[in-house]
Amino acid sequence: MSVYTEPLQALIDELNRLPGIGPKSAQRIAFHLLKIPKEDAARLAESIVVAKDRVHWCRVCFNVCDSDTCQFCADDGRDGRVVCVVEEARDIVAIERSGAFKGRYHVLQGAISPIEGIGPEQLRVRELVKRLEDDAITELILATNPNVEGDATASYLARLIKPIGVRVTRLASGLPQGGDLEFADEVTLGHALEGRREL
Amino acid sequence: MSRGQYRDEGVVLRTYKLGEADRIIVFMTKAHGKVRAVAKGVRKTKSKFGARLEPASQVLLALYEGKGELHTVTDAEIIAANRDIREGYNLFVHAAPMLEAVDQMAQDHEPDVAVYLMLTRALATLNDRRTPLVTTAFFWKLLAYSGVEPRLDSCVRCDAAESLSAFDFQSGGAVCTNCSYGGGVPISSEALDLMRQILGGHLNQALAQTVGETTAEVERLAIAAIEHHIERRLRSTTLL
């Protein structure tokens, strides 16, 4: 039996269902919400409802947006011949922060993960292939995460897309700036050596 | 009772994201069985763990056991990166079912050196020889080690050595045409031969077999047999 009054327990249970929120964190957030002014709590609730109502997937690249297409697909100033493929919409933010990419994006909405039963059919791969057939895309940059799932996804996409005749590249992988060489692991250092460039 | 700091070697079976930048890593260790441990900050690009704690890696570990259920990874060094598995779709989808099967069958903190060695050797063989038959052979070997080695030379129901044409998971072996009406899936004589090679000490010969109808048949049987044994589906086999 719950020790809390029913509305509070319901709030804790809902918060506990969110990713990364355990029972203790759920309790802490719930008690915080009880303490803040009513209008602050209403604003939070309203923003959740508005986001759920208005935010959806861009029909071209599957980024999040609040209109038919996202800001990057709608921007005529961007190079439509180069498409950067990312796992999640939040990865676009990281690439945009670099300021080094002016092309368009495609969000797979995940990565191939055999252990979780996620295969290419569960990702936006079919839509990517269709874009390649319809649009004048000449290069695909695979910017999936540099881990096992990301590498498997990139390897699968490269094998699928190269026969179409589009240039397929992968983000360089190697040593992070500001780090010490002696702490680099063998796999990362191996990648850095393979991807070395002439100065 | 907590044991504090300890060292072991292990294979990364799978990982779960935890919080902002951490992961829970599930290891099959040599001396401590299956261990779940938190690797703090491992998802950051400057993490000291780098790419060492990815599935299919064999690593030398320093772990800390506190009061909680989850241990903490304090250091990791690569023993075998199995890089071709990690970076190639085909090899990875064949390694994942082996990792999942061990995750399902191994018990937390129950050492099983034989299973650990079988897994490390299977991953190394898959990485080097690149044949999908490694996964099939691993499943049959794992079943045999678990005490459910199938009978392949005579019918499990009537002992007849001729006309073996089906395989019955419930009875644990081949059945003859007469007995196959009592249940079992059809099996070809080529598939039976390949299974005999795998389980009869001729693994190298089996692994040299060209991938085709027979290897696919033995793979399907191996998956069905291991799922029958553990009484649940192996999700990663859907991508094979």
Side-chain angles (χ1 to χ4, degrees):
Chain A
M1 199 184 76
S2 166
V3 290
Y4 298 118
T5 181
E6 201 218 315
L8 176 58
Q9 187 61 49
L11 177 61
I12 292 170
D13 290 346
E14 286 304 316
L15 290 168
N16 197 14
R17 290 170 59 184
L18 298 174
I21 307 279
K24 287 261 189 273
S25 297
Q27 281 181 38
R28 201 180 65 246
I29 297 167
F31 277 100
H32 170 77
L33 292 172
L34 289 180
K35 280 181 196 164
I36 61 175
K38 194 174 177 182
E39 53 270 29
D40 287 1
R43 201 167 54 243
L44 173 65
E46 173 76 4
S47 63
I48 293 172
V49 172
V50 169
K52 278 301 287 179
D53 279 347
R54 289 179 47 191
V55 177
H56 52 262
W57 310 125
C58 167
R59 70 174 169 81
V60 180
C61 74
F62 301 94
N63 185 13
V64 286
C65 64
D66 59 357
S67 59
D68 191 33
T69 53
C70 73
Q71 64 192 100
F72 305 110
C73 290
D75 183 354
D76 291 335
R78 298 187 78 98
D79 186 354
R81 294 170 300 173
V82 187
V83 170
C84 181
V85 180
V86 294
E87 289 181 18
E88 301 290 348
R90 56 181 180 269
D91 297 330
I92 292 178
V93 178
I95 292 177
E96 281 299 303
R97 271 204 310 261
S98 76
F101 180 67
K102 298 294 174 202
R104 297 226 161 92
Y105 292 97
H106 188 88
V107 183
L108 293 170
Q109 299 188 334
I112 292 170
S113 175
I115 288 173
E116 286 169 34
I118 299 172
E121 296 77 26
Q122 280 80 46
L123 307 175
R124 300 287 184 179
V125 173
R126 208 178 303 118
E127 292 85 346
L128 174 64
V129 173
K130 191 161 188 328
R131 273 183 82 179
L132 294 173
E133 287 165 356
D134 295 348
D135 295 353
I137 295 167
T138 56
E139 183 180 352
L140 214 57
I141 302 171
L142 302 176
T144 51
N145 287 329
N147 54 31
V148 166
E149 286 86 3
D151 285 343
T153 309
S155 157
Y156 174 83
L157 288 176
R159 209 179 51 179
L160 182 75
I161 288 159
K162 270 185 175 173
I164 299 174
V166 175
R167 182 177 183 227
V168 181
T169 56
R170 176 99 169 98
L171 280 192
S173 179
L175 302 169
Q177 289 292 306
D180 282 8
L181 199 69
E182 64 173 307
F183 294 113
D185 67 277
E186 297 82 336
V187 178
T188 308
L189 199 51
H191 276 294
L193 279 167
E194 283 163 13
R196 70 189 185 279
R197 60 195 166 93
E198 202 166 331
L199 295 174
Chain B
M1 197 181 75
S2 64
R3 64 166 77 86
Q5 191 86 27
Y6 66 101
R7 294 183 77 83
D8 201 346
E9 57 179 81
V11 172
V12 178
L13 299 178
R14 66 171 301 173
T15 65
Y16 301 88
K17 284 182 184 175
L18 177 71
E20 291 271 321
D22 308 339
R23 274 201 185 110
I24 295 171
I25 317 279
V26 183
F27 297 101
M28 180 63 199
T29 65
K30 191 174 187 180
H32 298 85
K34 194 164 80 173
V35 169
R36 294 165 205 277
V38 176
K40 289 181 178 161
V42 70
R43 286 155 61 200
K44 291 181 181 171
T45 51
K46 284 191 185 175
S47 160
K48 65 175 177 175
F49 297 117
R52 294 178 180 106
L53 297 176
E54 291 288 310
S57 297
Q58 187 188 0
V59 278
L60 188 63
L61 294 160
L63 294 147
Y64 179 79
E65 181 182 0
K67 287 178 184 167
E69 182 69 22
L70 289 170
H71 299 189
T72 306
V73 187
T74 53
D75 196 20
E77 282 172 42
I78 293 267
I79 297 173
N82 293 320
R83 225 180 123 177
D84 288 351
I85 291 176
R86 293 154 58 127
E87 292 168 15
Y89 175 78
N90 266 346
L91 293 186
F92 181 51
V93 295
H94 279 93
M98 297 196 283
L99 301 173
E100 189 180 0
V102 172
D103 188 18
Q104 296 292 340
M105 290 171 76
Q107 301 295 311
D108 287 358
H109 313 300
E110 293 282 336
D112 196 332
V113 179
V115 169
Y116 174 74
L117 293 176
M118 277 169 69
L119 180 62
T120 54
R121 286 169 191 161
L123 290 170
T125 310
L126 180 64
N127 195 68
D128 296 340
R129 295 186 60 163
R130 313 176 74 90
T131 167
L133 260 173
V134 172
T135 310
T136 307
F138 179 77
F139 280 176
W140 286 119
K141 293 263 185 199
L142 192 61
L143 284 168
Y145 172 74
S146 306
V148 284
E149 179 166 353
R151 195 164 131 190
L152 302 170
D153 289 324
S154 57
C155 175
V156 280
R157 296 207 188 111
C158 72
D159 288 333
E162 304 297 319
S163 307
L164 300 172
S165 61
F167 188 90
D168 185 27
F169 301 108
Q170 194 66 41
S171 311
V175 285
C176 69
T177 310
N178 285 339
C179 295
S180 66
Y181 300 110
V185 294
I187 187 169
S188 65
S189 57
E190 292 83 5
L192 269 173
D193 285 342
L194 180 56
M195 283 169 66
R196 287 186 193 116
Q197 281 179 359
I198 291 169
L199 292 166
H202 303 286
L203 187 57
N204 265 326
Q205 205 179 326
L207 293 179
Q209 180 119 354
T210 312
V211 174
E213 231 169 77
T214 305
T215 58
E217 185 182 353
V218 178
E219 181 181 271
R220 278 195 304 275
L221 285 168
I223 293 167
I226 205 147
E227 288 183 340
H228 178 81
H229 178 63
I230 63 175
E231 296 180 333
R232 58 185 299 172
R233 293 277 326 273
L234 286 177
R235 284 203 286 189
S236 53
T237 59
T238 53
L239 296 188
L240 286 176

